[in-house]
Amino acid sequence: MGRYARLESALELGRLMERHYAEALDRRHLRPVAWVNAGAPVELLRAMDVLAVYPENYAAMCGVRGALWLCEVAEGAGYSRDLCSYARISLGASLSGPSAPYEGLGRPDLLICCNNSCGTIVKWFEALGRLFEAPLFVIDTPYVHDGLPGHAAAYVAAQLQELIHWLERVAARRLHPGALEEALRLSREVTLLWREIRSYCRTRPSPLNAPDLFTHMAPIVVLRGTAEAVAYYRRLRDEVRQRAQRGVGAIPNERYRLLWDNIAIWSHLSRFYYLFAAHGACFVTDTYTGAWDAVPEEGDPIESLARVYTTIYLNRSLRFRLGQMEQLMQDYACDGFVMHNNRSCKAFSLGQPSARRRLADATGAPGLLLEADMCDTRAYAEGQVRARVEAFLETLAGRAG
Amino acid sequence: MSAYLGIDIGSRVVKVVLVGAHGRVLARAVAPAGIDGPAIAAELTARVCAEAGVGPREVGYTVATGYGRVRFCEADAEVSEITCHARGARHLVPGARTVIDIGGQDSKVIALDEQGRVADFCMNDRCAAGTGRFLEVTAEALGLSVEGLAAEHALARQPVTISSTCTVFAESEVISHLARGTPRPEIVAGLHHAIASRLLGMAGRVGLTPVVVCTGGVAQNAGVIAALEAIGKVAITVPPDAQLAGALGAALIAAARAAERR
């Protein structure tokens, strides 16, 4: 068994994230701290000099270290076990203060969330608002069935205007002329770099495997619209491009190319994906890190933000998502796919059983539906997972003949 | 003489099959897994070899399957129970396109393509509903043995509805039915209907193409088969030695791998 090839950029990634979280905790700077969700229009906050901090990303990092105890703290406080594990980890960590991993996430001055990812996020942020006595701004994005109707885009744009006024009032910030355009330009650049990096995985062997994508997606979420993120992804792009040009694969002996659907299993990031890598199966593309692939258009910045944040992957119909998966399977020459039926994420997991059938029918490739959770280890049964994964890989081998 | 061994270390029962040339079964053995499945597997292996008059060195290849396979170190290869059950069922019923395997703690539905390869599969997740364990627990609540369930079912006029397929909740439902004076056969038939609907729900994910074969220990329960046929509106074939299908499949794969190795 060959060794798993580590990316050199990983070291820089660690430093970058450390700096970011140190800034969140350091209250000597005078910028207000806003806790936001991954689907919030962060470019506006960059332009108004508000520090954006992501409880979802923090929860994922805790999940990698093992965060069951934080879930249990939240459950002890009355939050249901059926609730999203990011929400439980975030609430559990907020209740635990500095004894939480990485000395906790500090406290927010403001809370901003957008319901484009799910409905849970709103309730979760409301709970944080009560806990920290911080004001909350909610952006409501209508669900996109087919195209985005003009009235829906206008409705969201009006809320973004209101958010600017809210930040002026609540946080005494000004929107500097040209600053929003600059933040959007950086966002556009970083998104294009991320798209380019992912696209190198079309090469055989793929220079990246899903765990690489999951780890290196952090800056595109938490530092989108900043120059540091652009610098980081340029460096990563060069490294991945070089791997692709030199024929260096992420895993030794790539035999099967797979698509991954849903959020990563953070609690078993190396152990779970190793089950596949050990048999030469590499996840060359996925719907999760691809959700940050949408490039904001040029033109009016508020309209562009409204459009890009309303049409994110999770806010779109199953039909749209199926089409995307089918296209990805074709573009990346996938032999099969694995759908993580994530107990936490209802928005991502709803409809998966029928999507699995349809995608298998459309592509002729086998698909595995696996029940687990992104962070709650009680929903992950080692023996059962292993039995399913091995049977699936044997099915792939049987087809390869 | 060449012989090949298939060992299926299930969660409840260990099955061992020894085959000779052309997949002819030379000997078979079954025993409860207890707390040390691999040790039972070693005992059964010695027993089948002795019965067939095959020396330990004459076993050309051994394949282990089932949950206990990871801890069993004496096999040449491990193969998942999906692949083994598919292979065994197809050997027992050559036209098989769907295999419903009902084991001790897990049940699965496997779709086979025309060549008999696994096309798709579905397993129950993290829940004992629709498994042999479900029947064991509820039979106990009824004061019956698992073996006695089918005979009891045959006496039922109208099955009661067991609304929960959760093993624990179903057990309390059984107890309240008994307290209400519901005849025992009707409760048993209700349980069989509950397990059958659960299995057919899974089958819906992969399709139910005839010929449908049922394997695993629970396949010996005629009541469950009757319920599956009634609700699924499909004929079900239960081969003799249904419980041994996984071990047989493992032995056949062992024979094929030995042939490849030569």
Side-chain angles (χ1 to χ4, degrees):
Chain A
M1 205 77 64
R3 113 201 135 79
Y4 195 89
R6 247 180 100 82
L7 284 157
E8 279 171 29
S9 309
L11 211 63
E12 179 56 29
L13 174 73
R15 282 193 213 112
L16 192 64
M17 297 305 286
E18 240 168 63
R19 268 204 305 277
H20 169 71
Y21 279 102
E23 206 181 357
L25 283 181
D26 179 8
R27 300 317 301 259
R28 282 168 305 180
H29 64 72
L30 296 171
R31 299 159 78 193
V33 173
W35 284 12
V36 304
N37 74 310
V42 68
E43 291 82 356
L44 261 178
L45 306 188
R46 308 274 185 238
M48 296 180 81
D49 205 23
V50 172
L51 182 66
V53 173
Y54 290 80
E56 285 162 294
N57 179 256
Y58 173 76
M61 294 195 329
C62 293
V64 173
R65 281 173 54 147
L68 184 58
W69 72 277
L70 292 174
C71 295
E72 286 168 347
V73 168
E75 288 157 25
Y79 293 99
S80 163
R81 191 174 153 171
D82 293 317
L83 205 62
C84 156
S85 53
Y86 281 175
R88 277 177 291 146
I89 289 170
S90 160
L91 292 164
S94 298
L95 290 165
S96 304
S99 63
Y102 312 98
E103 296 170 51
L105 198 53
R107 54 183 307 135
D109 301 310
L110 318 163
L111 295 159
I112 299 165
C113 83
C114 180
N115 64 4
N116 51 6
S117 55
C118 60
T120 305
I121 199 89
V122 178
K123 295 290 140 195
W124 164 9
F125 272 58
E126 281 173 1
L128 289 174
R130 285 193 294 274
L131 198 62
F132 291 110
E133 295 177 357
L136 166 67
F137 191 95
V138 178
I139 302 156
D140 176 39
T141 48
Y143 192 72
V144 180
H145 292 276
D146 290 308
L148 174 65
H151 60 81
Y155 169 63
V156 177
Q159 294 176 70
L160 296 182
Q161 294 288 2
E162 207 182 314
L163 174 60
I164 295 172
H165 298 313
W166 187 77
L167 286 168
E168 284 170 351
R169 205 175 63 243
V170 178
R173 295 277 118 178
R174 288 279 160 272
L175 178 60
H176 306 292
L180 185 54
E181 286 77 2
E182 175 61 9
L184 265 161
R185 189 189 64 73
L186 290 167
S187 247
R188 211 172 283 129
E189 194 172 347
V190 85
T191 313
L192 286 169
L193 280 165
W194 184 238
R195 184 180 281 184
E196 184 183 347
I197 290 164
R198 294 179 76 243
S199 75
Y200 288 123
C201 298
R202 295 181 194 205
T203 326
R204 200 181 282 262
S206 170
L208 299 174
N209 187 13
D212 303 314
L213 291 166
F214 297 151
T215 310
H216 291 268
M217 72 185 276
I220 196 136
V221 180
V222 305
L223 295 169
R224 196 169 60 252
T226 67
E228 295 113 285
V230 171
Y232 174 71
Y233 282 113
R234 277 201 190 125
R235 182 195 172 122
L236 179 65
R237 187 262 323 266
D238 292 346
E239 188 181 356
V240 175
R241 182 167 59 191
Q242 202 174 59
R243 270 194 181 185
Q245 284 165 350
R246 293 184 183 167
V248 177
I251 67 162
N253 311 318
E254 175 186 302
R255 285 169 68 205
Y256 312 113
R257 300 167 61 82
L258 305 175
L259 169 135
W260 173 264
D261 179 45
N262 213 311
I263 299 173
I265 303 179
W266 295 114
S267 53
H268 292 73
L269 203 54
S270 41
R271 235 188 320 163
F272 173 76
Y273 296 96
Y274 180 76
L275 285 177
F276 290 87
H279 290 88
C282 183
F283 288 97
V284 297
T285 191
D286 70 298
T287 54
Y288 181 37
T289 69
W292 280 267
D293 181 84
V295 183
E297 292 162 18
E298 313 256 355
D300 180 77
I302 295 292
E303 276 174 28
S304 167
L305 282 177
R307 187 164 288 278
V308 85
Y309 284 104
T310 309
T311 55
I312 69 159
Y313 189 76
L314 278 186
N315 203 36
R316 307 204 55 166
S317 67
L318 200 57
R319 188 170 353 134
F320 172 86
R321 294 194 232 167
L322 258 173
Q324 289 258 301
M325 285 191 264
E326 207 183 318
Q327 190 65 49
L328 284 172
M329 297 238 346
Q330 201 174 58
D331 292 347
Y332 287 77
C334 293
D335 306 300
F337 61 94
V338 177
M339 289 178 157
H340 170 204
N341 198 241
N342 183 355
R343 188 167 172 76
S344 271
C345 191
K346 282 79 181 172
F348 234 129
S349 308
L350 189 76
Q352 270 180 329
S354 64
R356 189 190 75 93
R357 279 295 289 278
R358 290 204 207 169
L359 191 58
D361 288 346
T363 59
L368 176 69
L369 185 71
L370 206 66
E371 286 187 26
D373 190 273
M374 53 201 188
C375 295
D376 189 336
T377 47
R378 290 167 299 190
Y380 185 93
E382 192 89 50
Q384 297 198 350
V385 165
R386 200 186 144 102
R388 282 154 185 75
V389 169
E390 287 180 0
F392 176 68
L393 291 169
E394 285 165 10
T395 305
L396 276 174
R399 289 190 173 216
Chain B
M1 191 179 80
S2 47
Y4 311 97
L5 201 56
I7 301 174
D8 181 359
I9 308 176
S11 59
R12 311 284 299 162
V13 178
V14 179
K15 287 83 58 177
V16 175
V17 169
L18 188 71
V19 301
H22 312 295
R24 197 169 59 84
V25 175
L26 302 175
R28 57 170 81 78
V30 176
I35 55 161
D36 192 355
I40 302 291
E43 259 178 63
L44 295 186
T45 300
R47 200 192 300 167
V48 293
C49 286
E51 192 189 317
V54 171
R57 294 211 178 146
E58 287 172 272
V59 175
Y61 203 100
T62 302
V63 165
T65 187
Y67 273 129
R69 71 177 187 274
V70 187
R71 275 174 54 219
F72 187 75
C73 313
E74 283 139 66
D76 295 292
E78 288 173 26
V79 175
S80 77
E81 45 268 52
I82 297 280
T83 306
C84 289
H85 271 277
R87 182 61 178 267
R90 183 80 176 189
H91 183 82
L92 294 168
V93 184
R97 291 294 303 278
T98 307
V99 182
I100 301 176
D101 174 66
I102 319 170
Q105 279 185 12
D106 106 14
S107 47
K108 42 201 163 283
V109 181
I110 310 166
L112 305 178
D113 67 11
E114 280 166 17
Q115 285 81 45
R117 295 175 305 185
V118 175
D120 201 357
F121 66 89
C122 180
M123 293 170 97
N124 70 312
D125 264 289
R126 285 196 298 279
C127 173
T131 67
R133 188 71 189 135
F134 172 84
L135 290 178
E136 282 178 11
V137 169
T138 44
E140 202 177 299
L142 285 162
L144 283 166
S145 69
V146 181
E147 292 74 23
L149 287 171
E152 199 78 4
H153 180 116
L155 303 173
R157 283 170 300 135
Q158 180 72 36
V160 296
T161 305
I162 303 288
S163 54
S164 180
T165 48
C166 162
T167 305
V168 177
F169 290 145
E171 187 186 1
S172 43
E173 252 182 277
V174 164
I175 292 165
S176 55
H177 272 298
L178 284 173
R180 239 178 282 152
T182 312
R184 203 164 63 170
E186 281 159 35
I187 303 174
V188 170
L191 287 168
H192 289 162
H193 274 250
I195 201 171
S197 349
R198 169 90 185 183
L199 287 164
L200 290 164
M202 276 203 311
R205 291 194 186 181
V206 300
L208 205 59
T209 313
V211 173
V212 181
V213 176
C214 195
T215 62
V218 179
Q220 294 159 342
N221 179 334
V224 172
I225 302 300
L228 278 169
E229 290 187 322
I231 304 171
K233 300 188 174 45
V234 63
I236 290 173
T237 308
V238 180
D241 280 348
Q243 191 179 17
L244 290 167
L248 173 64
L252 294 169
I253 292 167
R257 294 221 176 153
E260 272 170 33
R261 199 156 66 172
R262 274 197 295 272

